Amino acid sequence: MSDLKKIKEEFLEKLKGGLNLSEINEIKSNLFGKNGLISSQFKKIGSIAESERKKFASDLNIIKDELQDLIDRKMDEIQNAEINEKLEKEKIDITLPERTFVRGRIHPVSQTIDEISSIFSEIGFSVEEGPDVENEYNNFTALNTPDNHPARDMHDTFYLDEKKEKLLRTHTSPVQIRTMLKDNPPFKIIAPGRTYRSDSDQTHAPMFHQVEGLHIDKDINMGHLKGCLNYFIKEFFEIDKIKMRFRPSHFPFTEPSAEVDIGYKIKDGKIIIGEGDQWLEILGCGMVHPNVLKNVKVDPKKFQGYAFGIGIDRLAMLKYGINDLRAFFDCDYRWLNHFGFDPLDVPTNYRGLSR
Ligand code: PHE
């Protein structure tokens, strides 16, 4: 058998096997590669006797085309088979049920902060924030509460170092100091945020929330304070007839000072606001002490005003009928599903604390 015939026979034999793409590529390069069987035959043409050369060359070309053609067809076949197999495997099953997705709920405290901020922003208050880790000066001294002042004992403070210079802020009042130090009067701000005291029972948690209010301008008096808080309470509880009382009190940073209670009753285990003869303290307030203004380089002869600090968690408990403050921070998913809010219902003009 001539060389050419042998090459062709062998090739046809190999082609019968179930080949994959890399095997067929190998066969291709064995034939047509630089030193492949067919390529070597071409190199031989010059050394063949003239009488046979023409026929040899023509036979060689025919075989070359034939083999080339068979290889191309085989490659197409393999590629098509691979694509079909892929299509078969990756078929989308449209009968599968869709994936469920769960929309989160807004925590009642976050919702309440958004509501409070929204109400105050409508009467011209802007929102300030301060850090949870405060220094002793901003939390106490600048607020007219020097070392050894008895009021310091009333705040069961978490100190962070032995020298008692760093602490977890016990109230949001240090944001008053920060705000007045960085700007010039007038000031009209609220500052919602987390606060900390070593305390835990049904109405106290070691971490809780307050919103501070501060309004300093020329000729601000206690009437403005009362009007502002009255407006806020009515808006917040969405009740016109609200029972509210100012009780004389003492804070080192305000003079005179008051605490504000709102009236409620419990009927069939539910809290009803604005009726009954039970009182719940919800905030402390007063006219900013001249010493505080002096500490932040504001002239108390020219400027004065009021401040207040509202317990946010207490307001949320009252408004949404939640009896135990500690449940707020238990992270019980079932509780959150029940008391939480739809994210699409949150007031849109203010988007809450950075959280
Ligand atoms: N910071 C006070 C507290 O936490 C509340 C308060 C704020 C009172 C502002 C007066 C003025 O008890």
Side-chain angles (χ1 to χ4, degrees), residues 171 173 176 197 210 212 251 253-254 284-285 307-309:
H171 50 180
S173 301
Q176 288 186 32
R197 288 182 207 175
Q210 287 190 340
E212 193 76 10
F251 299 101
F253 34 91
T254 46
C285 62
F308 54 83

Side-chain angles (χ1 to χ4, degrees), residues 253-320:
F253 34 91
T254 46
E255 182 59 38
S257 303
E259 279 172 317
V260 173
D261 305 332
I262 57 172
Y264 74 101
K265 72 174 179 191
I266 298 206
K267 198 178 161 200
D268 302 330
K270 279 203 178 133
I271 301 173
I272 298 175
I273 308 286
E275 291 174 27
D277 49 14
Q278 315 242 99
W279 295 99
L280 190 78
E281 178 204 324
I282 55 160
L283 66 91
C285 62
M287 300 306 292
V288 176
H289 198 291
N291 287 352
V292 175
L293 295 175
K294 280 182 208 152
N295 286 340
V296 294
K297 311 272 175 304
V298 171
D299 183 352
K301 295 227 166 63
K302 288 192 190 140
F303 290 95
Q304 63 285 129
Y306 59 81
F308 54 83
I310 308 176
I312 293 175
D313 317 84
R314 298 251 178 114
L315 287 191
M317 285 171 78
L318 286 174
K319 183 163 176 180
Y320 298 114

Side-chain angles (χ1 to χ4, degrees), residues 74-90:
K74 189 76 185 172
M75 279 184 152
D76 278 354
E77 221 174 81
I78 293 171
Q79 271 165 345
N80 280 339
E82 276 177 9
I83 290 173
N84 284 336
E85 195 186 311
K86 239 187 176 172
L87 283 176
E88 192 60 37
K89 264 200 222 148
E90 292 173 9

Side-chain angles (χ1 to χ4, degrees), residues 45-222:
I45 292 178
S47 59
I48 280 178
E50 226 189 306
S51 55
E52 290 171 26
R53 195 180 295 157
K54 205 171 167 194
K55 173 150 184 352
F56 179 82
S58 143
D59 287 351
L60 182 56
N61 270 316
I62 289 170
I63 285 194
K64 185 199 111 189
D65 289 345
E66 222 179 304
L67 298 189
Q68 184 78 61
D69 194 42
L70 284 169
I71 286 179
D72 287 348
R73 265 198 266 158
K74 189 76 185 172
M75 279 184 152
D76 278 354
E77 221 174 81
I78 293 171
Q79 271 165 345
N80 280 339
E82 276 177 9
I83 290 173
N84 284 336
E85 195 186 311
K86 239 187 176 172
L87 283 176
E88 192 60 37
K89 264 200 222 148
E90 292 173 9
K91 211 161 61 181
I92 295 169
D93 181 356
I94 56 166
T95 65
L96 273 179
E98 91 251 38
R99 281 199 193 112
T100 52
F101 85 97
V102 183
R103 187 195 283 164
R105 310 282 287 172
I106 302 286
H107 194 286
V109 170
S110 306
Q111 168 83 11
T112 305
I113 290 176
D114 290 345
E115 288 172 7
I116 294 173
S117 306
S118 169
I119 293 168
F120 279 112
S121 69
E122 268 165 37
I123 51 169
F125 285 82
S126 58
V127 178
E128 288 286 337
E129 281 184 47
D132 294 11
V133 174
E134 255 303 354
N135 57 52
E136 174 280 329
Y137 180 79
N138 287 345
N139 196 82
F140 289 124
T141 310
L143 288 160
N144 200 33
T145 319
D147 213 357
N148 300 324
H149 191 290
R152 284 205 185 191
D153 294 339
M154 283 159 59
H155 291 209
D156 302 301
T157 311
F158 289 112
Y159 286 99
L160 300 177
D161 59 352
E162 276 181 18
K163 284 194 199 153
K164 295 191 167 179
E165 280 167 359
K166 288 250 178 296
L167 45 82
L168 291 175
R169 65 179 179 187
T170 57
H171 50 180
T172 41
S173 301
V175 187
Q176 288 186 32
I177 302 301
R178 287 177 176 270
T179 306
M180 292 195 283
L181 280 176
K182 74 171 189 224
D183 246 322
N184 293 320
F187 303 104
K188 197 173 183 187
I189 58 117
I190 57 161
R194 284 177 283 271
T195 45
Y196 305 82
R197 288 182 207 175
S198 178
D199 212 352
S200 180
D201 61 33
Q202 199 175 341
T203 51
H204 295 89
M207 192 276 298
F208 56 106
H209 297 82
Q210 287 190 340
V211 56
E212 193 76 10
L214 175 74
H215 187 185
I216 303 286
D217 207 335
K218 291 174 178 154
D219 303 323
I220 297 290
N221 60 47
M222 206 149 174

